[in-house]
Each structure stands twice: as structure tokens, then as C-alpha cells.
Amino acid sequence: MSTVMVDDHHHEEHPRGITRWLFTTNHKDIGTLYLWFALLMFFIGGLMALVIRSELFQPGLQVVEPQFFNSMTTMHALIMIFGGVMPAFTGLANWLVPMMIGAPDMALPRMNNWSFWILPFAFTMLLATLFMPGGGPASGWTMYPPLMLQTGDALPFVIFSIHLMGISSIMGSINIIATILNMRAPGMTLMKMPLFVWTWLITAYLLIATMPVLAGAVTMLLTDKYFGTSFFNAAGGGDPVMFQHIFWFFGHPEVYILILPAFGIISQIIPTFARKPLFGYSSMVYATASIAFLSFIVWAHHMFTVGMPLAGELFFMFSTMLIAVPTGVKVFNWVATMWKGAMTFETPMLFAIGFVVMFTIGGFSGLMLAIAPADFQYHDSYFVVAHFHYVLVPGAVFAIMAAVYYWLPKWTGHMYNEKLGKWHFWLSTLFVNLTFFPMHFLGLAGMPRRIPDYATQFAGFNEIASIGAFGFGLSQLLFLYLVVQCVRGGAKASAQVWEGARGLEWTLPSPPPYHSFTTPPVVR
């Protein structure tokens, strides 16, 4: 009798097929689920971007109705941010954090399962709003009243889906913090953790601090529409600008949530392919913490044009410029790590270098936007669109792709196709710049954001941007092919993936173990 029970129990321990994925508490399985989900959302959000760009290919209204166009800009942002970038980073954290700190799994494995499975339901509901009477939300991802309050029956569903995404993020963050603070291997002090672990520890605190703020803001919208409150209704004594303050108090730390894990990834990859330890490890940790702290006191730089007092404009201008300092420290350290290194240019390194160059372009345009009097001209123009896409596409998205190429051989035991990987990088880099660089010129010439039609003088640059967008979108099919091909088989992962040249491992801890450079180079 007891043997049968033990046997039954044994079978329960190792479910197969769909139950393995539904009920898994294994951090690697959950990381994989997050990554596939993020990839699906990237393609859905990308198709929405292509709807936007096809409408803007020429002046005039030709492809979609203006209302649907506005729904596309809103949904594209919500899906790319909450469905693409954030779950991809969370998937990487699930896979890598326990392994990097020497933990057997995440601290709260069952909650880990739940925090993932909330997401498919949240995004199914969000996408379903497009088919409801009145169409989906058409207010931009910022959901400003009074525009958001004109959303039809979809409004409560949009807000509920945002609540679910927030719950998922908060649970994932609690799990990551609990894991890092309680489950490090003996001897793994905080200042010996790989930088990817550090950036996620800090990001997790940002998420826990800000997601409830967003939840509060959207709940106030809900009560304004259905329960007779007047938080943002001027006729009832409310203030629509208050919504902007609450939203951006969440929204500004959020943009650092979207980039800090990318900094961690790049800080793992560059030392490996430069065959040198990361330059300035502790300054990188302090820079990350400084960025996180400053992110809470700069929110109103999104609001220079609302009529705030001059003292407010000056405070937000200078505090925003201050963020350029720790960010500059990071860029300097990455370049210093590459300086005089024995560099090779495999696909992960190409994406990492592309990240450093193009993220810096986005950083400089951000510095321009921080200058309050200049921002009066740039505000709500395509210049802003160019700025944040430079930090989010060749920034966050390139870092995610770099991470996938970098760790995929370790996850699957197979090598990806290096030649195709390089093709993917060069095509993506060409088209991402073709798409977003002309937007700087459009914005400086006065083209506003979030419009389905525009004056004829903007036609040329819009045409180039649209061609770039379709090129970039099609290039990502190559990425999908490469990942699927690598997961299904291919060449066995070489010893180099595990050792690296001169004994430098691909998951190099930063700082590296003592004496890791004293071994003579391996002659192959």
C-alpha cells in the first residue's frame, strides 16, 4: 500500500504536458513562460505599431478611423510596456537570479506561478476591449481625463486589467526581493552579487513603491465615471492636472523599471566579450541606486506646460538633469570596460554595443527635454516620441535580445546560428534608426504626437519612418526563427559558452572570482 502511495506521489511530482506548465513552481519553467508570453506580446504590440505607421505613411486618412488609430497608440504602449518589456525582464530574473546567487529556486515558488498566470487573463481582457461598444481606450497610455472618461463600456475592463498587471508585478517583486535577501549562497555578500541581480533588487523596490500609485489613479478615474466622485472633474471642484501628478509619480519611476534590468544585462555581457572584469563595480551599484532614488523626484518634467510655478519648473529641471550624472557614470564604465579589452563581436556583444550607442542618443535627447524653456517647444511633439523610443527599443528591447542570445546556449544546450544572429542585429539596427531618427526632425519642425493625419510638409520623414518600421518588424521574424531553431536543436553548445576565453565564464559574476585571469589563454 505504502509503495503505491509513494509511487503516486512520485508521479505527482513530475507532471508532463500541459499540467507541467500550468502548475509548475520551477523558476526555470516560469522564466520560460514569461519569456514566451513577452515574445507573443511584442508581436501583437508590434502589429499595432505597424497599423499606426501604415496610417502615417502618407498625409490624409486612408487606413483606419481616427478613433481606432487612437486606440492603437494607447494599446500599443500598454502592451509593449506591461506585456512585452516588463514580463521579459521578469522572465530573465526568474531564470537567472536564483542561479546567480546560488539559490535552489525562488523564495515563494507557488506565488511565482500565480504572478505569471494572472498575465494572460489580464491581457486577454485588455485586448477584448477593442471589440466592445465604443472601441478600446483611446486616450494614450497615460489615460488622461477627461479623454479617458469618454471611453465607452471598455473603461472598467481596461482598469481591471491594469490592476491585474500591477498585482502580478508586485507579487513578482516581493518574490525577487525575498529571494535575493534570504537565499544567497554562503560568502555571496551584497557587494559580490552580479550586477544583473543588483539592478533587479532595486527595480523590485521601485515596482512595489509605484504600482499602487497607478492603481489609485485609475481607481479614481473609475469612481469619477461610475460613482459620482469629482477627483478630476473641474465642474465638481476636481482638477484634471492632479491626475497627471499622480500618474507621473508612478510613470517616471516606471521608465526606470523598464531600463534598470537592461543596465544589469549589459553589465554582464560587456565584461565577458571584452575579457576584462567590469570597470567600477561599486560605482555601478551606487549609480543604479542613485537613479532609482532620483526617479521619484522628477515626475513633473512630463508636465512643464501645465502652468506650474517657476520654482517648480526649476526644481524639476535641475533634478532631471541630475539623473544624467549616474547614467553617464554607467556609460563611462561600460566604455572603460571595453577599453583595451580583447574584444570579440559575437551577437550578444553586438547588441550590447548597439545598446550603449543608441541608448546614449536617447539619453541626450532626454537631457534636451529636461530644459524647461526648450521643453515648451518639444512637448507633445514627435521629438518626445523619438526620445522615448530610442531608450526603449534600441535600449530595453535590444538588451532583452542581447540577453536571449547570451544565455540561450546555457538554457537549451544548443548554439544559435551565429551568422543569422548577426544579420538580425544589423537589420534591426539599420531599421530602428530609419524608423526613429527622422522623428526628431518631425518633432523639431512641429509635428504633434498622437495624430492620424498631418500637414504635407511632414510627408517625407513619415514615409521613411514607416518603411523603417515595417523593416524592423519583419526583421524580428528572423529572431523568432533563430530562437525556435535553437530551442529545437542545432549544434551543441560549445565549451566556450561555459569557460569563455581565458576561463572567463559567460555568466561572469561581477566582480569576477579572484585569480580568474591568471590562467594562460587556452590555445584552440
Side-chain angles (χ1 to χ4, degrees), residues 183-210:
M183 298 178 70
R184 299 191 307 283
M188 169 74 70
T189 62
L190 287 176
M191 290 309 274
K192 281 190 182 146
M193 296 194 308
L195 259 168
F196 179 73
V197 181
W198 256 117
T199 53
W200 245 114
L201 179 65
I202 291 166
T203 301
Y205 279 107
L206 286 181
L207 276 162
I208 290 171
T210 59

mmCIF file of all heavy atoms in Angstrom, residues 183-210:
data_model
loop_
_atom_site.group_PDB
_atom_site.id
_atom_site.type_symbol
_atom_site.label_atom_id
_atom_site.label_comp_id
_atom_site.label_asym_id
_atom_site.label_seq_id
_atom_site.Cartn_x
_atom_site.Cartn_y
_atom_site.Cartn_z
ATOM 1 N N MET A 183 18.327 34.159 0.295
ATOM 2 C CA MET A 183 18.748 32.864 -0.252
ATOM 3 C C MET A 183 20.104 32.886 -0.951
ATOM 4 O O MET A 183 20.409 32.001 -1.748
ATOM 5 C CB MET A 183 17.660 32.327 -1.189
ATOM 6 C CG MET A 183 16.352 32.086 -0.446
ATOM 7 S SD MET A 183 15.041 31.508 -1.518
ATOM 8 C CE MET A 183 15.612 29.862 -1.907
ATOM 9 N N ARG A 184 20.926 33.881 -0.656
ATOM 10 C CA ARG A 184 22.247 33.910 -1.281
ATOM 11 C C ARG A 184 23.126 32.811 -0.699
ATOM 12 O O ARG A 184 23.057 32.505 0.487
ATOM 13 C CB ARG A 184 22.918 35.267 -1.076
ATOM 14 C CG ARG A 184 22.154 36.417 -1.689
ATOM 15 C CD ARG A 184 22.977 37.699 -1.710
ATOM 16 N NE ARG A 184 23.531 38.065 -0.414
ATOM 17 C CZ ARG A 184 22.842 38.622 0.566
ATOM 18 N NH1 ARG A 184 21.542 38.872 0.408
ATOM 19 N NH2 ARG A 184 23.418 38.936 1.706
ATOM 20 N N ALA A 185 23.989 32.237 -1.528
ATOM 21 C CA ALA A 185 24.921 31.204 -1.081
ATOM 22 C C ALA A 185 25.877 31.793 -0.039
ATOM 23 O O ALA A 185 26.126 33.003 -0.037
ATOM 24 C CB ALA A 185 25.724 30.685 -2.273
ATOM 25 N N PRO A 186 26.412 30.957 0.856
ATOM 26 C CA PRO A 186 27.376 31.462 1.845
ATOM 27 C C PRO A 186 28.522 32.189 1.144
ATOM 28 O O PRO A 186 29.033 31.706 0.134
ATOM 29 C CB PRO A 186 27.885 30.189 2.536
ATOM 30 C CG PRO A 186 26.810 29.182 2.306
ATOM 31 C CD PRO A 186 26.166 29.524 0.999
ATOM 32 N N GLY A 187 28.894 33.349 1.678
ATOM 33 C CA GLY A 187 30.000 34.101 1.072
ATOM 34 C C GLY A 187 29.565 35.079 0.002
ATOM 35 O O GLY A 187 30.340 35.955 -0.386
ATOM 36 N N MET A 188 28.328 34.919 -0.508
ATOM 37 C CA MET A 188 27.830 35.850 -1.535
ATOM 38 C C MET A 188 27.285 37.091 -0.825
ATOM 39 O O MET A 188 26.111 37.172 -0.492
ATOM 40 C CB MET A 188 26.757 35.153 -2.384
ATOM 41 C CG MET A 188 25.967 36.056 -3.321
ATOM 42 S SD MET A 188 26.815 36.627 -4.789
ATOM 43 C CE MET A 188 26.990 35.178 -5.785
ATOM 44 N N THR A 189 28.176 38.033 -0.528
ATOM 45 C CA THR A 189 27.710 39.277 0.099
ATOM 46 C C THR A 189 27.005 40.125 -0.957
ATOM 47 O O THR A 189 27.112 39.849 -2.153
ATOM 48 C CB THR A 189 28.896 40.068 0.675
ATOM 49 O OG1 THR A 189 29.756 40.407 -0.427
ATOM 50 C CG2 THR A 189 29.679 39.252 1.690
ATOM 51 N N LEU A 190 26.301 41.164 -0.504
ATOM 52 C CA LEU A 190 25.591 42.019 -1.465
ATOM 53 C C LEU A 190 26.560 42.605 -2.498
ATOM 54 O O LEU A 190 26.248 42.661 -3.679
ATOM 55 C CB LEU A 190 24.863 43.153 -0.724
ATOM 56 C CG LEU A 190 23.609 42.742 0.061
ATOM 57 C CD1 LEU A 190 23.039 43.933 0.818
ATOM 58 C CD2 LEU A 190 22.537 42.142 -0.855
ATOM 59 N N MET A 191 27.733 43.022 -2.054
ATOM 60 C CA MET A 191 28.664 43.656 -2.991
ATOM 61 C C MET A 191 29.462 42.647 -3.821
ATOM 62 O O MET A 191 30.380 43.014 -4.546
ATOM 63 C CB MET A 191 29.614 44.611 -2.253
ATOM 64 C CG MET A 191 28.925 45.857 -1.728
ATOM 65 S SD MET A 191 27.908 46.757 -2.950
ATOM 66 C CE MET A 191 29.132 47.791 -3.721
ATOM 67 N N LYS A 192 29.080 41.377 -3.710
ATOM 68 C CA LYS A 192 29.668 40.385 -4.621
ATOM 69 C C LYS A 192 28.632 39.887 -5.624
ATOM 70 O O LYS A 192 28.943 39.042 -6.470
ATOM 71 C CB LYS A 192 30.236 39.198 -3.829
ATOM 72 C CG LYS A 192 31.579 39.485 -3.208
ATOM 73 C CD LYS A 192 32.198 38.220 -2.643
ATOM 74 C CE LYS A 192 33.533 38.551 -1.988
ATOM 75 N NZ LYS A 192 33.817 37.717 -0.826
ATOM 76 N N MET A 193 27.395 40.380 -5.507
ATOM 77 C CA MET A 193 26.355 39.890 -6.415
ATOM 78 C C MET A 193 26.618 40.381 -7.839
ATOM 79 O O MET A 193 27.072 41.503 -8.033
ATOM 80 C CB MET A 193 24.968 40.400 -5.976
ATOM 81 C CG MET A 193 24.519 39.889 -4.636
ATOM 82 S SD MET A 193 22.769 40.159 -4.339
ATOM 83 C CE MET A 193 22.542 41.902 -4.680
ATOM 84 N N PRO A 194 26.303 39.558 -8.835
ATOM 85 C CA PRO A 194 26.367 40.055 -10.216
ATOM 86 C C PRO A 194 25.470 41.287 -10.375
ATOM 87 O O PRO A 194 24.445 41.407 -9.688
ATOM 88 C CB PRO A 194 25.826 38.875 -11.032
ATOM 89 C CG PRO A 194 26.067 37.670 -10.191
ATOM 90 C CD PRO A 194 25.925 38.134 -8.771
ATOM 91 N N LEU A 195 25.838 42.171 -11.284
ATOM 92 C CA LEU A 195 25.083 43.427 -11.415
ATOM 93 C C LEU A 195 23.647 43.221 -11.868
ATOM 94 O O LEU A 195 22.777 44.015 -11.541
ATOM 95 C CB LEU A 195 25.807 44.389 -12.355
ATOM 96 C CG LEU A 195 26.561 45.452 -11.564
ATOM 97 C CD1 LEU A 195 27.505 46.232 -12.424
ATOM 98 C CD2 LEU A 195 25.601 46.397 -10.855
ATOM 99 N N PHE A 196 23.400 42.148 -12.626
ATOM 100 C CA PHE A 196 22.010 41.897 -13.024
ATOM 101 C C PHE A 196 21.132 41.692 -11.781
ATOM 102 O O PHE A 196 19.992 42.159 -11.723
ATOM 103 C CB PHE A 196 21.925 40.666 -13.940
ATOM 104 C CG PHE A 196 20.512 40.347 -14.360
ATOM 105 C CD1 PHE A 196 19.850 41.145 -15.280
ATOM 106 C CD2 PHE A 196 19.834 39.256 -13.827
ATOM 107 C CE1 PHE A 196 18.538 40.870 -15.676
ATOM 108 C CE2 PHE A 196 18.524 38.968 -14.210
ATOM 109 C CZ PHE A 196 17.877 39.774 -15.135
ATOM 110 N N VAL A 197 21.677 41.008 -10.767
ATOM 111 C CA VAL A 197 20.922 40.781 -9.534
ATOM 112 C C VAL A 197 20.692 42.114 -8.812
ATOM 113 O O VAL A 197 19.576 42.394 -8.347
ATOM 114 C CB VAL A 197 21.667 39.781 -8.617
ATOM 115 C CG1 VAL A 197 20.879 39.528 -7.337
ATOM 116 C CG2 VAL A 197 21.915 38.464 -9.365
ATOM 117 N N TRP A 198 21.713 42.942 -8.761
ATOM 118 C CA TRP A 198 21.585 44.257 -8.120
ATOM 119 C C TRP A 198 20.504 45.101 -8.795
ATOM 120 O O TRP A 198 19.676 45.717 -8.126
ATOM 121 C CB TRP A 198 22.916 45.009 -8.198
ATOM 122 C CG TRP A 198 23.670 45.021 -6.899
ATOM 123 C CD1 TRP A 198 24.892 44.455 -6.667
ATOM 124 C CD2 TRP A 198 23.268 45.631 -5.669
ATOM 125 N NE1 TRP A 198 25.265 44.669 -5.356
ATOM 126 C CE2 TRP A 198 24.294 45.388 -4.728
ATOM 127 C CE3 TRP A 198 22.134 46.346 -5.257
ATOM 128 C CZ2 TRP A 198 24.235 45.841 -3.412
ATOM 129 C CZ3 TRP A 198 22.059 46.804 -3.941
ATOM 130 C CH2 TRP A 198 23.107 46.554 -3.038
ATOM 131 N N THR A 199 20.553 45.164 -10.136
ATOM 132 C CA THR A 199 19.579 46.024 -10.822
ATOM 133 C C THR A 199 18.167 45.517 -10.574
ATOM 134 O O THR A 199 17.238 46.311 -10.412
ATOM 135 C CB THR A 199 19.858 46.103 -12.334
ATOM 136 O OG1 THR A 199 19.945 44.789 -12.885
ATOM 137 C CG2 THR A 199 21.140 46.864 -12.616
ATOM 138 N N TRP A 200 17.992 44.184 -10.490
ATOM 139 C CA TRP A 200 16.636 43.676 -10.248
ATOM 140 C C TRP A 200 16.189 43.912 -8.804
ATOM 141 O O TRP A 200 15.020 44.182 -8.547
ATOM 142 C CB TRP A 200 16.511 42.189 -10.606
ATOM 143 C CG TRP A 200 15.557 42.031 -11.761
ATOM 144 C CD1 TRP A 200 15.855 41.605 -13.009
ATOM 145 C CD2 TRP A 200 14.137 42.330 -11.767
ATOM 146 N NE1 TRP A 200 14.720 41.623 -13.806
ATOM 147 C CE2 TRP A 200 13.656 42.063 -13.070
ATOM 148 C CE3 TRP A 200 13.238 42.804 -10.813
ATOM 149 C CZ2 TRP A 200 12.321 42.241 -13.434
ATOM 150 C CZ3 TRP A 200 11.912 42.988 -11.172
ATOM 151 C CH2 TRP A 200 11.462 42.705 -12.472
ATOM 152 N N LEU A 201 17.125 43.833 -7.862
ATOM 153 C CA LEU A 201 16.769 44.115 -6.462
ATOM 154 C C LEU A 201 16.216 45.541 -6.349
ATOM 155 O O LEU A 201 15.174 45.785 -5.729
ATOM 156 C CB LEU A 201 18.011 43.954 -5.571
ATOM 157 C CG LEU A 201 17.814 44.244 -4.076
ATOM 158 C CD1 LEU A 201 16.848 43.230 -3.459
ATOM 159 C CD2 LEU A 201 19.140 44.210 -3.331
ATOM 160 N N ILE A 202 16.896 46.479 -6.993
ATOM 161 C CA ILE A 202 16.478 47.885 -6.941
ATOM 162 C C ILE A 202 15.176 48.088 -7.720
ATOM 163 O O ILE A 202 14.259 48.782 -7.269
ATOM 164 C CB ILE A 202 17.634 48.780 -7.446
ATOM 165 C CG1 ILE A 202 18.786 48.749 -6.421
ATOM 166 C CG2 ILE A 202 17.161 50.208 -7.687
ATOM 167 C CD1 ILE A 202 20.099 49.303 -6.916
ATOM 168 N N THR A 203 15.073 47.455 -8.889
ATOM 169 C CA THR A 203 13.852 47.552 -9.704
ATOM 170 C C THR A 203 12.640 47.039 -8.932
ATOM 171 O O THR A 203 11.547 47.614 -9.009
ATOM 172 C CB THR A 203 14.026 46.739 -11.005
ATOM 173 O OG1 THR A 203 15.153 47.247 -11.724
ATOM 174 C CG2 THR A 203 12.788 46.843 -11.885
ATOM 175 N N ALA A 204 12.828 45.946 -8.202
ATOM 176 C CA ALA A 204 11.710 45.350 -7.463
ATOM 177 C C ALA A 204 11.161 46.332 -6.416
ATOM 178 O O ALA A 204 9.943 46.453 -6.237
ATOM 179 C CB ALA A 204 12.151 44.043 -6.804
ATOM 180 N N TYR A 205 12.065 47.066 -5.755
ATOM 181 C CA TYR A 205 11.597 48.077 -4.800
ATOM 182 C C TYR A 205 10.830 49.194 -5.517
ATOM 183 O O TYR A 205 9.822 49.696 -5.012
ATOM 184 C CB TYR A 205 12.765 48.659 -4.003
ATOM 185 C CG TYR A 205 13.185 47.781 -2.842
ATOM 186 C CD1 TYR A 205 14.371 47.051 -2.872
ATOM 187 C CD2 TYR A 205 12.373 47.676 -1.709
ATOM 188 C CE1 TYR A 205 14.744 46.235 -1.800
ATOM 189 C CE2 TYR A 205 12.744 46.865 -0.636
ATOM 190 C CZ TYR A 205 13.923 46.156 -0.689
ATOM 191 O OH TYR A 205 14.281 45.348 0.370
ATOM 192 N N LEU A 206 11.312 49.586 -6.693
ATOM 193 C CA LEU A 206 10.600 50.619 -7.457
ATOM 194 C C LEU A 206 9.183 50.152 -7.797
ATOM 195 O O LEU A 206 8.219 50.919 -7.693
ATOM 196 C CB LEU A 206 11.343 50.938 -8.758
ATOM 197 C CG LEU A 206 12.626 51.766 -8.678
ATOM 198 C CD1 LEU A 206 13.192 52.001 -10.076
ATOM 199 C CD2 LEU A 206 12.367 53.111 -8.012
ATOM 200 N N LEU A 207 9.062 48.891 -8.216
ATOM 201 C CA LEU A 207 7.738 48.363 -8.586
ATOM 202 C C LEU A 207 6.786 48.372 -7.397
ATOM 203 O O LEU A 207 5.630 48.778 -7.514
ATOM 204 C CB LEU A 207 7.881 46.939 -9.137
ATOM 205 C CG LEU A 207 8.246 46.844 -10.616
ATOM 206 C CD1 LEU A 207 8.777 45.456 -10.950
ATOM 207 C CD2 LEU A 207 7.055 47.181 -11.498
ATOM 208 N N ILE A 208 7.276 47.916 -6.247
ATOM 209 C CA ILE A 208 6.404 47.858 -5.068
ATOM 210 C C ILE A 208 5.980 49.272 -4.649
ATOM 211 O O ILE A 208 4.857 49.493 -4.201
ATOM 212 C CB ILE A 208 7.124 47.120 -3.917
ATOM 213 C CG1 ILE A 208 7.249 45.634 -4.267
ATOM 214 C CG2 ILE A 208 6.364 47.300 -2.600
ATOM 215 C CD1 ILE A 208 8.123 44.844 -3.313
ATOM 216 N N ALA A 209 6.867 50.239 -4.836
ATOM 217 C CA ALA A 209 6.536 51.608 -4.436
ATOM 218 C C ALA A 209 5.572 52.280 -5.403
ATOM 219 O O ALA A 209 4.788 53.139 -5.000
ATOM 220 C CB ALA A 209 7.820 52.433 -4.324
ATOM 221 N N THR A 210 5.624 51.932 -6.705
ATOM 222 C CA THR A 210 4.868 52.722 -7.682
ATOM 223 C C THR A 210 3.587 52.078 -8.185
ATOM 224 O O THR A 210 2.648 52.799 -8.525
ATOM 225 C CB THR A 210 5.733 53.061 -8.908
ATOM 226 O OG1 THR A 210 6.167 51.841 -9.511
ATOM 227 C CG2 THR A 210 6.926 53.906 -8.523
#
